[in-house]
Amino acid sequence: MAAECQRVDRSSHSMDKSITLPPDEIFRNLENAKRFAIDIGGSLTKLAYYSTFQHKVAKVRSFDHTAKESEGDPLYEISMQEEVSARLHFIKFENAYIETCLDFIKDHLVNTDTKVIKATGGGAHKFKDLIEKKLKLRVDKEDEMTCLIKGCNFVLRNIPHEAFVYAKHADSEFRFQNTQPDIFPYLLINIGSGVSIVKVESEDKFERVGGSSIGGGTFWGLGALLTKTKRFDELLQLASKGQHTSVDMLVKDIYGGSYGSLGLTGDLIASSFGKCATADKESSKEDMAKSLLHMISNDIGQLACLYARLHNLTRVYFGGFFIRGHPVTMHTITYSINFFTKGEVQALFLRHEGYLGTIGAFLKGAEEDTSLMPPHTLGTTALSHIRFDPNQYSWGENYAGSSGLMSVSPDLNPMQRARSGTFDMLEMDRLERQLVNLPLLQDPSSYVPDTVDLSEDALAREYWLYCFEEALDGVVKRAVASQPDLPEAVERAEKFRQKYRHKLQTLRHQPFAYGSLTVRSLLDTREHCLNEFNFPDPYSKIKQRENDMALRYFQKAVKSLELLSWEQRQFALVKGLLAGNVFDWGAKAVSDVLESDPEFGFEQAKRQLEERPWLVDSYDQWLERLKGPPHKCALFFVDNSGIDIILGVFPFIRELLCRGTEVVLASNSSPALNDVTNSELQILTQRIAEMDLVIQSAVKEDRLTLVQSGSSSPCLDLSRLDKVLAGVVRERHTDLVIIEGMGRAIHTNYYAMLSCESLKMAVIKNSWLADRLGGKLFSVVFKYEVPLGHKHTTPDHVPGTTS
């Protein structure tokens, strides 16, 4: 995003650009800033600060039902309350703007008690006096390499899709890596003026194992001598247009072709700049820049490979001024690594590589600062003995306030690509729950939540971007309706519309901006933008109304099930669960029906379902399994409020409880669409327990447990779940996982491999997706899986193949 800091004369260079947005859109929540850190390089400054910010949350509170209520009394009341949360801000800008930005920060600091600013980077000494004069803070310098490693550990642990492989000629330039449950050990190749090679073994254990004086400074220095070009970005632009073969001597130039006995191809560089001594004409600037880039990159690549093999490491991350997301450097490094290791080691790059130093410097300061203690600990004694450790929390990237990865098309002007004169931002929100892997993932390191990567599927990408844009009017309407007593809600909703539409436009051109583009990331970005403008739960009133209505039919639904034979009842329970899942306000085909026909109900939904055989149909195997011994404990990830949870899920789990299976219901920690939240589910369960002895005794005997999933998304990432939930799963010896709904079981986790039995159920409520999977609207996915080696096995079935 661009920012209006100050109109300065930049006519000296035609590529420089003015800053166009007000700085308060960049330096957000400055009035509540608690601690600062700064990393000043040769051309870019990276600033970090911690702030608290107020935002609205939707709270539900149960009414007292001991007195006889009238027919119209709602089950619970909804109130909007203010809460304080913590956020980390990271901002990157050119050194030319440092004085103006320091002035802006000084003028807007109100409540900070901080007396020190942590600093790192080569420019920290140069700007020390300026920083101390402007901000009245003492500059405390931190070791650059320590900060770098600390920052690297932090982003690898907290930002999914942080690391990527760069593939220049592939359909998608970026291939993002899975979040590793254990990020150590790894090799960090930091390419600044020279090269440092660091082996990182744990949070606090790392060692510089090697390096080279031939690095980014060498490329810049020799490049300036050869081309008379003084700017680093211009030198890279020259290299992107050059042909190194007119400068470099190739194997075929010496041998007339490949050197087969040594396994050398004819196109391999035998001697960098080897043709210059005998060339009849002077080489072009572009060709020399390209040759120089290859020479430096190949040298660094070979060094990296040798050290990776020496220390038996396969994870090798590259960063530093030389990289900075430039396509030419990433491509040449990648090519070199692939050549020297024959593909055994991948060159990995980081989305937020430019922020590592300032993140590390901030963390160093935060660990020493008791003023950053979370609110619930501030009332305790002996604060001087307590350190704030950001690593004790999980953090999440706030898509609404982060710029995202820039386009790295080599055809773009390099100064446009680097966004000269503009500001790049990253915001990280502290999450209330510490997030960990689901212990039942078969192989956490290979787990990928999302079924389709829209970055690589252009047709699907265009459809879903269009779909989310088309749905915007409906979301805005519901956001306003959820806050009828707040007249300014209309204005805020319009700002939300503009921001989210801008995000969608960005993702259309840069689908890799926040990692792999998926339906999940589109939904999460929308939720972040809604929260940004204080719409924490646009569907709160709809959920309340539908929960009240569904509760009236619960006892009748249970009684009708009890009249059936055992086999009839099992099918009716599954069909009821699927019919309940139809009631999803996130699906346009359904929300249109629900808005036009308020009388559309449970029985109508059952009639909408396709007849068996379903699109994916493992029901016979499931029924056979139910004839065997009961499961010890079932973990059920629930979906929607209203009919889904009350008339679909509760009768289903009631049957499991009657079989002797303990049940853990996992629901969202925070609102998303019309998904039931944990606080709502607590009230619903209490109410159902008053009506039903089976549920009542299960709650009383702790055989029915409600837990938060740690998620605030309609989709489900099993590698980022509430730590408490993971503990319950272990303690209860969970042997069945049930995942319900299109978001959780089709958009995500369709291919998730678990170490226990699993049941994935959903109704496809999107015509385009149904068509793509070989089905139709309201097709059913009922996928029962047993891991290999278990007694009950079922062949895997992929949507689109014969059922």
Side-chain angles (χ1 to χ4, degrees):
M1 289 195 175
E4 176 78 55
C5 257
Q6 177 179 316
R7 298 285 178 188
V8 293
D9 181 18
R10 286 176 299 279
S11 57
S12 59
H13 202 287
S14 60
M15 292 193 208
D16 282 334
K17 296 180 176 54
S18 63
I19 303 180
T20 54
L21 291 181
D24 57 356
E25 291 190 24
I26 305 300
F27 299 99
R28 306 201 307 162
N29 306 320
L30 259 180
E31 64 277 9
N32 297 314
K34 306 292 182 192
R35 166 168 285 283
F36 288 87
I38 199 163
D39 174 12
I40 308 174
S43 59
L44 295 172
T45 294
K46 287 78 69 178
L47 180 76
Y49 61 95
Y50 167 99
S51 77
T52 54
F53 66 100
Q54 278 199 321
H55 62 108
K56 290 191 190 307
V57 291
K59 295 281 189 183
V60 297
R61 186 177 68 85
S62 180
F63 286 116
D64 181 10
H65 288 282
T66 49
K68 181 170 171 40
E69 67 259 28
S70 64
E71 185 68 22
D73 280 353
L75 176 67
Y76 53 82
E77 66 173 336
I78 308 160
S79 62
M80 292 293 170
Q81 296 177 18
E82 293 284 340
E83 268 193 9
V84 177
S85 293
R87 179 172 285 167
L88 299 179
H89 305 257
F90 305 103
I91 302 150
K92 187 179 357 173
F93 53 90
E94 293 176 20
N95 290 351
Y97 302 105
I98 189 168
E99 188 162 357
T100 306
C101 292
L102 290 174
D103 278 335
F104 182 84
I105 293 166
K106 177 192 71 177
D107 292 343
H108 290 78
L109 282 180
V110 179
N111 299 319
T112 183
D113 298 321
T114 302
K115 304 299 178 198
V116 175
I117 182 168
K118 291 287 183 181
T120 189
H125 178 75
K126 177 182 174 184
F127 290 99
K128 178 176 183 291
D129 292 342
L130 177 67
I131 296 167
E132 291 187 335
K133 177 185 170 190
K134 294 282 186 188
L135 298 186
K136 303 290 189 287
L137 300 175
R138 178 172 57 82
V139 172
D140 190 357
K141 191 122 171 26
E142 288 291 341
D143 175 68
E144 196 169 350
M145 193 54 67
T146 303
C147 292
L148 204 63
I149 301 301
K150 245 184 172 7
C152 192
N153 293 342
F154 184 81
V155 296
L156 288 174
R157 186 177 285 109
N158 286 285
I159 304 182
H161 294 170
E162 174 62 30
F164 62 89
V165 172
Y166 183 72
K168 182 181 178 182
H169 300 297
D171 290 339
S172 175
E173 290 173 292
F174 300 87
R175 292 179 183 162
F176 293 94
Q177 303 297 291
N178 305 331
T179 306
Q180 297 292 329
D182 186 5
I183 63 173
F184 306 111
Y186 65 85
L187 205 62
L188 179 64
I189 316 291
N190 191 56
I191 314 170
S193 300
V195 179
S196 287
I197 300 174
V198 186
K199 178 185 178 184
V200 184
E201 296 184 73
S202 69
E203 194 62 51
D204 299 308
K205 187 180 179 185
F206 62 89
E207 176 190 4
R208 187 183 189 275
V209 293
S212 171
S213 62
I214 300 172
T218 315
F219 175 67
W220 200 349
L222 281 177
L225 288 172
L226 290 168
T227 69
K228 309 305 179 193
T229 299
K230 295 292 186 183
R231 293 177 67 95
F232 188 85
D233 285 322
E234 285 180 30
L235 196 58
L236 279 172
Q237 179 68 358
L238 287 175
S240 72
K241 294 175 179 177
Q243 293 293 329
H244 74 99
T245 52
S246 64
V247 177
D248 293 341
M249 189 176 288
L250 309 182
V251 168
K252 66 184 177 185
D253 294 325
I254 302 173
Y255 298 104
S258 62
Y259 194 150
S261 61
L262 292 181
L264 304 177
T265 63
D267 291 330
L268 197 65
I269 298 171
S271 174
S272 295
F273 290 91
K275 287 180 181 174
C276 290
T278 57
D280 295 331
K281 60 177 183 177
E282 195 172 313
S283 302
S284 73
K285 291 179 179 182
E286 289 83 358
D287 295 349
M288 287 191 291
K290 186 62 167 279
S291 175
L292 181 61
L293 182 67
H294 276 300
M295 186 179 81
I296 304 289
S297 298
N298 285 336
D299 185 62
I300 294 169
Q302 188 164 24
L303 265 181
C305 295
L306 290 170
Y307 277 101
R309 282 181 167 156
L310 181 64
H311 294 280
N312 197 29
L313 295 172
T314 55
R315 273 180 278 185
V316 183
Y317 299 103
F318 288 84
F321 180 81
F322 186 66
I323 303 293
R324 278 196 305 160
H326 284 281
V328 187
T329 52
M330 290 194 298
H331 175 64
T332 50
I333 288 281
T334 299
Y335 181 87
S336 175
I337 289 282
N338 286 342
F339 175 79
F340 288 117
T341 69
K342 295 181 172 58
E344 291 175 12
V345 174
Q346 285 187 318
L348 295 166
F349 305 96
L350 301 170
R351 273 204 296 139
H352 299 99
E353 178 273 324
Y355 291 113
L356 302 187
T358 190
I359 291 173
F362 172 82
L363 295 176
K364 285 282 287 179
E367 289 168 1
E368 300 165 9
D369 190 353
T370 56
S371 73
L372 296 190
M373 289 304 297
H376 63 269
T377 61
L378 291 177
T380 60
T381 56
L383 272 181
S384 58
H385 301 298
I386 304 174
R387 292 193 320 161
F388 170 78
D389 179 9
N391 289 320
Q392 70 182 290
Y393 301 99
S394 290
W395 299 78
E397 182 176 5
N398 174 23
Y399 298 145
S402 297
S403 304
L405 191 64
M406 295 299 92
S407 168
V408 295
S409 168
D411 300 327
L412 284 177
N413 179 302
M415 301 310 293
Q416 284 180 332
R417 194 210 58 76
R419 303 193 353 166
S420 174
T422 65
F423 284 61
D424 190 78
M425 298 181 299
L426 165 65
E427 289 186 353
M428 302 279 289
D429 288 341
R430 191 179 75 202
L431 307 179
E432 295 304 312
R433 334 285 302 174
Q434 194 168 357
L435 305 183
V436 297
N437 278 306
L438 177 69
L440 297 170
L441 280 174
Q442 203 169 85
D443 179 13
S445 63
S446 66
Y447 168 69
V448 179
D450 305 288
T451 306
V452 178
D453 185 345
L454 304 180
S455 315
E456 297 182 357
D457 189 330
L459 194 64
R461 177 170 71 246
E462 194 48 48
Y463 171 75
W464 286 110
L465 286 169
Y466 168 79
C467 203
F468 276 86
E469 196 153 3
E470 280 292 287
L472 247 179
D473 286 345
V475 178
V476 167
K477 178 182 163 187
R478 278 185 276 278
V480 173
S482 71
Q483 298 179 4
D485 302 327
L486 299 174
E488 85 288 355
V490 175
E491 184 185 345
R492 281 188 285 114
E494 195 51 45
K495 286 180 178 176
F496 153 74
R497 184 206 304 271
Q498 291 169 12
K499 182 140 200 176
Y500 188 56
R501 180 170 283 150
H502 174 71
K503 291 287 179 187
L504 291 175
Q505 288 166 352
T506 299
L507 291 167
R508 184 168 272 114
H509 299 295
Q510 299 167 14
F512 41 76
Y514 299 108
S516 293
L517 181 65
T518 62
V519 173
R520 175 168 64 103
S521 68
L522 287 169
L523 285 162
D524 290 351
T525 304
R526 189 168 70 184
E527 292 299 325
H528 291 184
C529 291
L530 281 166
N531 283 310
E532 180 83 7
F533 295 102
N534 272 323
F535 292 109
D537 195 356
Y539 292 82
S540 55
K541 297 274 196 285
I542 291 171
K543 289 189 289 181
Q544 183 190 41
R545 185 175 69 244
E546 292 186 348
N547 285 331
D548 285 338
M549 183 271 294
L551 275 172
R552 294 177 202 150
Y553 297 98
F554 175 75
Q555 286 172 304
K556 182 182 175 184
V558 169
K559 280 176 186 169
S560 67
L561 286 164
E562 287 176 339
L563 297 174
L564 301 174
S565 68
W566 181 85
E567 198 153 317
Q568 288 174 327
R569 186 164 72 253
Q570 304 317 306
F571 185 68
L573 286 164
V574 166
K575 197 168 179 182
L577 225 173
L578 292 166
N581 194 242
V582 167
F583 292 84
D584 183 351
W585 282 85
K588 192 172 187 301
V590 176
S591 61
D592 287 348
V593 171
L594 296 176
E595 283 190 331
S596 60
D597 181 11
E599 300 302 313
F600 183 83
F602 196 35
E603 295 307 315
Q604 288 96 318
K606 287 179 188 176
R607 290 195 289 273
Q608 293 284 351
L609 299 176
E610 73 172 335
E611 295 295 322
R612 288 192 67 200
W614 295 321
L615 178 63
V616 179
D617 197 333
S618 306
Y619 178 74
D620 291 342
Q621 292 93 327
W622 170 248
L623 185 66
E624 200 58 34
R625 173 63 185 88
L626 290 179
K627 293 173 183 175
H631 296 89
K632 170 80 177 85
C633 176
L635 168 64
F636 197 132
F637 289 99
V638 299
D639 193 6
N640 306 309
S641 286
I643 288 176
D644 189 352
I645 185 70
I646 294 167
L647 302 185
V649 172
F650 266 100
F652 188 89
I653 64 152
R654 186 180 183 275
E655 184 79 5
L656 290 177
L657 290 164
C658 289
R659 277 172 57 79
T661 300
E662 294 179 5
V663 176
V664 177
L665 290 183
S667 52
N668 274 9
S669 299
S670 307
L673 295 174
N674 65 315
D675 294 358
V676 67
T677 64
N678 182 261
S679 54
E680 290 159 354
L681 189 54
Q682 298 277 355
I683 295 170
L684 295 177
T685 305
Q686 180 187 351
R687 188 75 175 109
I688 290 171
E690 291 168 7
M691 295 189 278
D692 187 271
L693 289 174
V694 172
I695 300 298
Q696 188 181 102
S697 63
V699 170
K700 198 176 292 184
E701 295 161 15
D702 203 25
R703 291 184 295 111
L704 174 58
T705 310
L706 310 184
V707 290
Q708 299 187 40
S709 66
S711 172
S712 55
S713 170
C715 296
L716 183 64
D717 183 350
L718 297 176
S719 68
R720 283 171 71 81
L721 292 177
D722 189 351
K723 192 176 182 179
V724 174
L725 168 58
V728 170
V729 164
R730 284 195 193 92
E731 289 163 17
R732 300 289 172 104
H733 303 291
T734 302
D735 54 356
L736 173 65
V737 173
I738 304 171
I739 306 176
E740 179 210 6
M742 213 162 76
R744 291 169 179 80
I746 293 181
H747 291 314
T748 53
N749 299 304
Y750 187 80
Y751 296 113
M753 303 295 290
L754 301 174
S755 59
C756 68
E757 293 172 54
S758 64
L759 193 52
K760 298 166 187 174
M761 289 181 283
V763 177
I764 301 173
K765 293 152 289 193
N766 177 284
S767 299
W768 182 89
L769 181 62
D771 184 59
R772 195 169 234 229
L773 297 179
K776 55 183 190 281
L777 198 63
F778 301 117
S779 283
V780 169
V781 170
F782 188 91
K783 191 180 187 189
Y784 169 61
E785 293 177 299
V786 181
L788 289 174
H790 281 56
K791 184 179 176 184
H792 306 280
T793 56
T794 268
D796 187 31
H797 179 83
V798 180
T801 61
T802 306
S803 297

